[in-house]
Amino acid sequence: MFFVDKTNFIKEWWKNRDVVTLITRPRRFGKTLNMSMLDCFFSNKYASRADLFEGLSIWQDEEYRKLQGTYPVIFLSFAAVKAGNLKDAKNQIKQEIARLYEENRYLLESNVLSDNERKIYNSTTIQMDDTMAQNALKALSVWMERYYGRKVIILIIITKEFVIAHRLSYSNHPHSRWFIFLLRSFLC
């Protein structure tokens, strides 16, 4: 058994300062592993888990030791969205979004949300309409930024299988337009 230290990817990614990064690699190349590594490194949920990176390449640089565990992170994966039709796929996406909202319920107990925003937050459930789903990630990131006082890192995993199953590539199909609109609303 051997171990490959991939933490230099963190440095490379951070130094680029890209607003959006698209990582395309063949299946089983470690895309999800790298995203999980970014989540564990930057997320304030792992602020007390410096032990995950001690002894690795990233930990040799004090600048990065100071960065570890200091950012709010939204980590969303569409890997589980495997429905064969638009209605079920939308429901699965809404389940993932609703899960994110459940994980961040502390925002409701804070003073960062207005009364209207609290209503929107509480309405973000698996029963939400399509428009609410399309705006949900952006809204959550705005509220988290307000709460933590710093930009939110958003990590989204979209698998090749997801793209193919939902006809996203070069299609004028109504399903494709809905998913493309959804993805654009996440990234803008």
Side-chain angles (χ1 to χ4, degrees):
M1 183 178 280
F2 62 93
F3 173 78
V4 177
D5 182 353
K6 292 188 171 193
T7 59
N8 281 329
F9 173 74
I10 297 169
K11 284 184 184 181
E12 182 183 322
W13 182 76
W14 189 252
K15 283 181 184 177
N16 282 334
R17 294 281 202 224
D18 296 328
V19 175
V20 175
T21 304
L22 175 64
I23 301 170
T24 58
R25 295 287 183 270
R27 185 176 158 93
R28 303 280 180 226
F29 204 79
K31 297 177 296 291
T32 302
L33 179 65
N34 281 332
M35 294 298 221
S36 294
M37 178 179 63
L38 288 172
D39 182 34
C40 289
F41 186 80
F42 287 106
S43 178
N44 52 19
K45 294 175 190 172
Y46 297 96
S48 63
R49 294 301 314 270
D51 61 300
L52 295 171
F53 298 94
E54 290 172 359
L56 300 176
S57 174
I58 191 79
W59 214 245
Q60 294 172 8
D61 190 331
E62 187 173 341
E63 174 189 352
Y64 290 94
R65 287 196 302 268
K66 289 179 182 176
L67 275 176
Q68 193 275 322
T70 60
Y71 276 83
V73 174
I74 295 173
F75 189 13
L76 178 64
S77 175
F78 290 140
V81 179
K82 299 187 184 298
N85 61 68
L86 180 63
K87 181 182 177 204
D88 291 343
K90 284 182 181 182
N91 285 335
Q92 290 175 350
I93 289 170
K94 290 175 184 179
Q95 287 173 357
E96 290 300 312
I97 294 169
R99 180 191 54 75
L100 283 174
Y101 271 66
E102 285 299 317
E103 287 178 8
N104 292 285
R105 290 195 68 79
Y106 61 88
L107 293 169
L108 287 171
E109 280 106 49
S110 72
N111 294 324
V112 299
L113 302 179
S114 69
D115 289 340
N116 284 335
E117 290 170 330
R118 286 177 198 283
K119 289 176 188 172
I120 292 168
Y121 196 106
N122 284 320
S123 299
T124 307
T125 67
I126 57 174
Q127 287 84 29
M128 70 184 122
D129 65 26
D130 292 352
T131 303
M132 184 169 276
Q134 291 166 339
N135 295 317
L137 191 62
K138 185 173 185 177
L140 183 61
S141 68
V142 166
W143 299 331
M144 288 175 71
E145 180 178 347
R146 202 182 299 159
Y147 182 86
Y148 289 107
R150 69 183 327 170
K151 293 283 186 188
V152 176
I153 295 172
I154 302 174
L155 304 171
I156 302 174
I157 297 174
I158 303 171
T159 63
K160 176 182 168 187
E161 293 77 15
F162 175 84
V163 173
I164 291 170
H166 303 294
R167 303 179 194 118
L168 287 177
S169 48
Y170 307 108
S171 173
N172 206 21
H173 194 279
H175 296 184
S176 298
R177 288 194 298 270
W178 188 87
F179 283 109
I180 289 169
F181 182 77
L182 176 73
L183 294 175
R184 280 188 186 147
S185 65
F186 284 173
L187 301 174
C188 298

